[in-house]
Amino acid sequence: MIILVGPSASGKTEVCKLLCKKYGYKKFVTTTTREKRVGEIDGIDYNFVSTDNFKNLIKNNSLIEYTQYNNNFYGTEKNNIQLNTILIVDPNGLKSFQKLNDSSIVSFLLTCDENARINRMKERKDSIEKINERIKIDKVNFSEEKTNSVNFIIPTSNKTIEEIADKVNNLYKDKINHQN
């Protein structure tokens, strides 16, 4: 399993999409209470649920991990775990998966300079208020002490999505092959 971690607009979602298309990975569909963005599809991009439904998943111990980010819940349901999947999580989610001590789980931190991230968020039509809020929150959530346990760090500011996806795939395959 590939785990992608990174601040807003670091390239996680686009890299995940390309890895699925080019290399045949499957996106691990996480569950969220956040509103759908334009073009997102329930069950493909996320499992979109109400806050009450999400709280029932917590109560029923159906989640490996969950977090609250930007006033929305995000979580990974136990019944969605499969081989050859890619999962996007925050640093807290990463820690939950690392506690599983599964050597087939390989994590990648995608880093990106702030100006590039701001431009990307503007391109996807995020409001200035939301952009500023995300930048502020990400400075805390993606500090070095919270992300230093990843297997690989990939700077994304000056790379194409294809270059990043190829690098993730190659590093993942090398790590998995060296374990066998």
Side-chain angles (χ1 to χ4, degrees):
M1 173 184 263
I2 293 172
I3 294 185
L4 299 177
V5 181
S8 301
S10 59
K12 303 175 301 291
T13 302
E14 295 306 313
V15 167
C16 178
K17 287 178 186 175
L18 187 56
L19 284 165
C20 293
K21 183 177 179 181
K22 186 173 182 180
Y23 295 107
Y25 294 100
K26 291 185 179 182
K27 181 181 182 284
F28 186 108
V29 181
T30 56
T31 302
T32 185
T33 59
R34 146 171 106 58
E35 291 293 318
K36 280 191 266 184
R37 291 183 185 140
V38 175
E40 287 183 326
I41 301 169
D42 189 29
I44 302 290
D45 297 293
Y46 286 98
N47 294 315
F48 294 96
V49 299
S50 69
T51 300
D52 287 342
N53 284 346
F54 197 95
K55 287 179 179 178
N56 282 332
L57 291 171
I58 295 169
K59 186 172 107 179
N60 294 329
N61 198 29
S62 299
L63 302 169
I64 295 169
E65 59 80 33
Y66 66 92
T67 189
Q68 191 170 8
Y69 179 73
N70 284 340
N71 299 314
N72 296 296
F73 286 104
Y74 294 83
T76 52
E77 293 185 57
K78 291 177 182 176
N79 64 359
N80 289 345
I81 294 178
Q82 298 176 26
L83 295 174
N84 299 316
T85 56
I86 302 171
L87 176 62
I88 299 170
V89 295
D90 71 0
N92 291 326
L94 173 65
K95 285 183 180 151
S96 295
F97 276 87
Q98 288 173 327
K99 286 178 186 174
L100 299 174
N101 291 319
D102 185 338
S103 61
S104 69
I105 297 173
V106 183
S107 58
F108 297 85
L109 172 64
L110 304 185
T111 62
C112 188
D113 72 68
E114 192 173 294
N115 287 333
R117 292 175 47 229
I118 289 169
N119 288 334
R120 291 174 183 177
M121 286 186 263
K122 286 179 180 176
E123 287 174 15
R124 69 183 190 198
K125 309 281 190 244
D126 289 356
S127 71
I128 295 300
E129 295 80 20
K130 184 162 275 209
I131 291 169
N132 290 334
E133 182 181 339
R134 285 177 181 262
I135 293 294
K136 181 180 175 186
I137 291 170
D138 286 348
K139 284 181 182 177
V140 174
N141 289 342
F142 293 92
S143 65
E144 187 174 337
E145 70 181 39
K146 292 184 179 182
T147 58
N148 63 5
S149 63
V150 296
N151 296 110
F152 299 101
I153 297 173
I154 301 176
T156 66
S157 301
N158 300 312
K159 290 187 172 56
T160 67
I161 295 299
E162 186 156 11
E163 288 171 327
I164 301 162
D166 291 345
K167 185 166 186 113
V168 168
N169 179 65
N170 292 336
L171 289 168
Y172 175 72
K173 295 290 186 193
D174 286 348
K175 184 150 180 70
I176 295 299
N177 289 336
H178 283 96
Q179 292 173 5
N180 297 330

